[in-house]
Amino acid sequence: MNTFIPPFCRNPKCFYHQPPPGLPYTAFERWGSYTTRAFGRVPRFRCTCCGTTFSQQTFRVDYWLKRVYDYTDLTERLASCSSIRALGRAYQVAGKSIQNRIGRAARQVIAFETILSCYRKPKEDLAADGFESFCVSQYYPNNIHLLVGTTSQFVYAADHVTIRRKGSMTREQKKKRETLEQRYRADPQGLCRSFFRILEASFSVLSDGGRPSLTLWTDQKREYHRSLASSDCAAGLLESGRFVHRTISSRVPRSRWNPLFPVNYLDRELRKDLHEHVRETVCFGRNVNAQMERLSLYLYYHNFCKAHRSRGAFQSNALLAGYDPRFIAVERIKLWEWRAWHTKIDLTMSDEETWMRLRRTPLKNGKDYLPKHVAA
Ligand SMILES: [Zn+2]
C-alpha cells in the first residue's frame, strides 16, 4: 500500500508551500490516482487551502519522465569519460534524454551540497585558479574558476566565464575572430567578475570554519588583484589579518610541493575524466549551461564519492574538508528519490545560473529552455 504523504503544497504562492517548522502539512485531501508503466499507481492530492492539485510524482526526481534511470550509474559513467552519445547508446535513448537526466541530477547535487555546507567545519587553506576549456568553438574559450581545499582537494566553488580568444593566430584566424565577435563578444570584465564570486566563496569557507585566519593561494594574474581591490569585505579581512592572499608564479614546476598543486591536480583530473575537456576531442561542449550541469555532477562525484587517495582506507574529499558524515548519509537517502525545490534553498550566484540555465551560450539566440517546474 502506498503510504506517501505530501510534505507541502506544490504551489509556491500558497501558505502551505513553506509550512511553519514543526507543523506537518495536513491541508490536503486525496484526489484519486492514475497508473503508469514506470511508476505503477500514483496517488493524487488537492490542497484545501489554494485548490492546486498534484501527485506523488510532483515530488520525485523523475517528475514528468516515463523511464526510471539509475542516477548513480549515470554519474559514474559521466565521470569516467563517457560522452553523451556513448551514454545514449548504453541506455538506448537519445542524447537529449541523457542531457535532461544530467540536468536533473545536477540540480539535485547542487541542492545536496548547499544543504550540507550549512554544517561543514573546514579547517584548511584554499587555492584557486582558472581551468581553461572552450564551448561551441575554439574561438570561444572559457575559464572555469575552481576554489579547492589545499589538504582535502574538495572543490568549494566553481564559476564559469567565457573569455576572448588570445595567443598567436594567423591572419585568417584573426579575421574569423573579428567576424564571430560581431555576433558574440566575451565580457572584458568577465574574469574579474568571476573571481569576485570565488572570493565570496572563500570568505564563507573562512566563516564556516570558525578559524582565526585563512590563506588563499593563486597565480599572479592581474585580474585577481583587481577583484580583491574591488571587494569591501576583502579589504576589512585583509587589514585584520583574517584573510591572506598569497601568489606564486604559474611558471614554477607543477609538482606536489607547489602551493597550487590542488588546482593543478583538479586540472589533470578534469582533462582525463570529463570527455568534453580532453585535448583535441570531438566531443566538446555545445551549450554553456549544459557544460556546467555536467561539471556540477562531476564535482559531486569528486567531492563525495571518489576516494581522496586510491591507496589506504576509503575517505572522501568531503570528509577531509570537515563535512559531517551523519548529515551526508541522511541527505544521500533523498538524493536520487525526492526532487530538490528551487524555492526551498538559498543558492550562490554561480549555482543559481546553473540551476536556472542563465548563462549565455556564444552564437546562440535566445534563452535556454527551462521547464516550469525547475523554477519552483
Ligand atoms: Zn496550496
Side-chain angles (χ1 to χ4, degrees):
M1 190 191 154
N2 193 323
T3 53
F4 174 78
I5 299 220
F8 50 85
C9 172
R10 67 159 298 169
N11 177 8
K13 289 179 186 154
C14 175
F15 172 79
Y16 288 106
H17 185 63
Q18 309 268 15
L23 200 74
Y25 174 49
T26 51
F28 66 86
E29 57 188 338
R30 296 200 174 265
W31 203 252
S33 66
Y34 63 92
T35 307
T36 69
R37 246 197 294 175
F39 305 99
R41 200 182 76 84
V42 180
R44 298 191 80 236
F45 305 89
R46 181 179 169 275
C47 176
T48 52
C49 178
C50 67
T52 307
T53 56
F54 46 86
S55 75
Q56 182 179 6
Q57 280 307 101
T58 314
F59 297 91
R60 297 200 56 205
V61 178
D62 289 328
Y63 184 38
W64 281 111
L65 297 182
K66 293 175 178 64
R67 200 173 144 181
V68 180
Y69 268 51
D70 183 348
Y71 286 97
T72 305
D73 183 63
L74 180 71
T75 309
E76 275 171 16
R77 283 175 190 253
L78 180 80
S80 309
C81 213
S82 276
S83 64
I84 299 297
R85 286 194 182 172
L87 286 167
R89 284 191 292 275
Y91 291 114
Q92 299 189 334
V93 292
K96 264 193 173 177
S97 170
I98 294 292
Q99 195 49 55
N100 176 296
R101 281 355 189 253
I102 291 175
R104 283 170 193 260
R107 291 187 290 276
Q108 290 298 114
V109 299
I110 287 172
F112 176 82
E113 209 158 315
T114 306
I115 294 166
L116 288 175
S117 68
C118 302
Y119 310 105
R120 69 185 178 191
K121 291 270 177 285
K123 299 280 178 221
E124 58 185 339
D125 287 331
L126 302 169
D129 200 11
F131 171 77
E132 284 193 21
S133 190
F134 70 96
C135 195
V136 179
S137 143
Q138 301 242 27
Y139 285 90
Y140 291 113
N142 56 32
N143 222 303
I144 301 172
H145 281 122
L146 298 168
L147 181 69
V148 188
T150 48
T151 317
S152 66
Q153 281 145 29
F154 182 92
V155 182
Y156 289 95
D159 193 70
H160 173 284
V161 59
T162 301
I163 54 173
R164 193 174 192 218
R165 179 168 174 172
K166 52 198 182 197
S168 57
M169 280 180 278
T170 62
R171 193 182 294 172
E172 283 73 32
Q173 284 174 325
K174 277 185 188 164
K175 232 177 169 180
K176 190 170 177 191
R177 183 179 74 168
E178 237 173 71
T179 318
L180 286 172
E181 280 185 343
Q182 284 170 4
R183 290 178 60 196
Y184 179 92
R185 190 173 177 152
D187 175 10
Q189 297 304 315
L191 267 178
C192 282
R193 207 169 24 83
S194 173
F195 190 72
F196 191 87
R197 291 179 180 179
I198 292 295
L199 278 178
E200 286 181 336
S202 47
F203 300 152
S204 69
V205 172
L206 171 65
S207 64
D208 291 347
R211 48 195 296 226
S213 71
L214 181 142
T215 301
L216 173 68
W217 284 94
T218 66
D219 61 21
Q220 294 163 332
K221 265 198 200 97
R222 274 173 299 168
E223 288 84 356
Y224 296 167
H225 291 282
R226 256 185 265 154
S227 280
L228 259 173
S230 66
S231 165
D232 294 336
C233 192
L237 289 169
L238 284 167
E239 207 178 285
S240 63
R242 288 204 68 206
F243 185 76
V244 183
H245 179 221
R246 296 184 71 181
T247 60
I248 186 159
S249 166
S250 45
R251 287 180 190 169
V252 170
R254 300 175 78 163
S255 68
R256 177 78 183 80
W257 315 113
N258 186 325
L260 291 180
F261 168 77
V263 270
N264 294 337
Y265 167 80
L266 243 298
D267 194 304
R268 187 196 71 179
E269 294 295 282
L270 284 170
R271 287 259 181 254
K272 72 175 179 59
D273 288 344
L274 262 186
H275 206 139
E276 65 191 301
H277 300 306
V278 173
R279 295 273 187 206
E280 305 297 334
T281 180
V282 288
C283 301
F284 58 89
R286 267 82 167 170
N287 181 293
V288 174
N289 292 309
Q291 187 171 56
M292 284 307 281
E293 285 172 355
R294 291 189 288 269
L295 184 79
S296 302
L297 196 52
Y298 176 77
L299 291 181
Y300 156 75
Y301 180 76
H302 168 84
N303 286 340
F304 293 92
C305 307
K306 209 170 159 189
H308 177 67
R309 291 283 178 267
S310 50
R311 286 183 196 161
F314 176 87
Q315 217 175 0
S316 69
N317 295 324
L319 290 184
L320 285 166
Y323 277 72
D324 194 319
R326 290 166 303 168
F327 291 119
I328 295 177
V330 170
E331 291 303 319
R332 262 221 176 108
I333 295 169
K334 297 183 264 175
L335 182 62
W336 302 132
E337 188 69 30
W338 302 111
R339 184 159 69 90
W341 291 64
H342 182 251
T343 47
K344 302 247 167 201
I345 43 168
D346 216 1
L347 298 174
T348 62
M349 273 306 287
S350 182
D351 286 341
E352 175 79 8
E353 285 182 355
T354 307
W355 187 299
M356 301 293 277
R357 302 178 65 92
L358 296 175
R359 292 186 183 89
R360 205 181 145 201
T361 298
L363 309 183
K364 185 177 187 290
N365 294 325
K367 288 181 184 169
D368 279 15
Y369 167 69
L370 188 78
K372 224 174 166 184
H373 70 267
V374 173

